[in-house]
Amino acid sequence: MAFGHRYTGLIDRYRDRLPVHDDTRIISLGEGNTPLIRLNNIPRELSRDVELYVKFEGLNPTGSFKDRGMTMAVTKAVEEGSKAIICASTGNTSAAAAAYAARAGITAFVVIPDGKIAMGKLAQAMMHGSVVIQIEGNFDDGMRLVKEVASAAPVTLVNSVNPFRLQGQKTAAFEIVEELGRAPDFHCLPVGNAGNITAHWIGYSELAAHSGDHVTAACTFCSGHCRYAGGGVAGQRPKMLGYQASGSAPFMRGAMVDNPDTVATAIRIGHPQSWDVAWKVREESGGWFDECTDDEILAAQKLLTEKEGIFCEPASAASVAGALRDIRAGKIPDGSSVVCTLTGHGLKDPDTAIAQASRTPIKVPAEIDAVTRAIHENMD
Ligand code: F0G
């Protein structure tokens, strides 16, 4: 990179493929441009020949992929003269909405399920000065309420039903294709509302459409916002694999789930907002949905932290838990390239992390003998 080049966020980076004008005031915190990390140690232990990558979206400014969508949604809200935004959230959307509203100088109202959001996310929403409304209900209740409020009050809804959200989030697919030089064979994501899996499919489809393959999908999904004009490199599109937590797996049940539950609170969603479109993504991509138990999710989170040095939140680990199972079973065949999206940072949910860490801190007197003994006793 040349000296003096400053990365200024994904809207500036992909301006030609996003619904903005030359004079649009961009609300950005430098989101996007996240690392695609090739896993070394986990695949070695699998003794399978797959190229396994994680796209670490936890390294976005507020610690989750939501920033990609929020920069677009808030930019457009401000362009349209909105003075307030609202969302329902399992935590990450509220953190992103609060931060981008602060950046834009507008108000964020966030509706969250009482007691079921990770501490880091609550801290973010509170610190950024949003109005936090805790409801005695779950995310799905919150979603119903904010849709009703937004239809009557002068506030812009910034959940992923806002089409600008998915436009921002599709850029993760652009980054992956740019880095790999092609689309991966499989792309694995945790699924809640199924907005993100849809957004990635839009991104891959736009690239494939431009590279000359016969693809009609892009415009089915992009709500008329796709303005891709760059050089296509993708050609093929990945099979999209969506993993849900067993206690919150409407796509596995084939029906909405009324009382979803999982340790992965980010995806504790029983009534996905992108239901129809997500089925279309599965069908068009030739992929599949599957479910992971809470134990499998936590085991994958731990594996990533202990074997690869990557700390993601539980919901994110569902993508890796599912991918590893499908690699072992041969459903993802040898020779494949696989990308798993790690949607949020592990620091978001310290309580769950501490509760399941392999080692607890060793408490000793502040004396050299005691510290030396603790080291000797724990030398691997
Ligand atoms: N992973 C994390 C960390 C999330 O926060 C979410 C959704 C998902 C995965 C699922 O993405 O809904 O597009 O399928 N979180 C939303 C929120 C619901 O309110 O923060 P999806």
Side-chain angles (χ1 to χ4, degrees), residues 65-66 88-93 139 190-196 266-267 269 313 315-316 343-344:
F65 73 96
K66 303 287 178 179
S89 181
T90 56
N92 281 324
T93 301
F139 170 83
V191 168
N193 279 311
N196 208 26
I267 50 173
I269 295 169
E313 68 170 284
S316 310
T343 45

Side-chain angles (χ1 to χ4, degrees), residues 18 62 74 80-81 120 131 157-158 160 178 192 196 201 312 367 372 379:
L18 291 167
T62 77
V74 174
E80 287 158 11
V131 180
L157 185 60
V158 294
S160 57
E178 278 165 22
N196 208 26
W201 189 240
C312 68
E367 291 163 7
T372 307
M379 197 77 85

Side-chain angles (χ1 to χ4, degrees), residues 231-280:
V233 284
Q236 128 274 0
R237 296 180 291 175
K239 289 186 174 21
M240 304 299 292
L241 311 187
Y243 298 103
Q244 298 216 278
S246 295
S248 306
F251 286 103
M252 295 309 293
R253 309 292 163 255
M256 301 296 171
V257 170
D258 278 338
N259 292 302
D261 205 15
T262 169
V263 68
T265 50
I267 50 173
R268 189 169 165 268
I269 295 169
H271 291 239
Q273 297 297 310
S274 296
W275 178 255
D276 293 336
V277 92
W279 286 110
K280 249 162 65 179

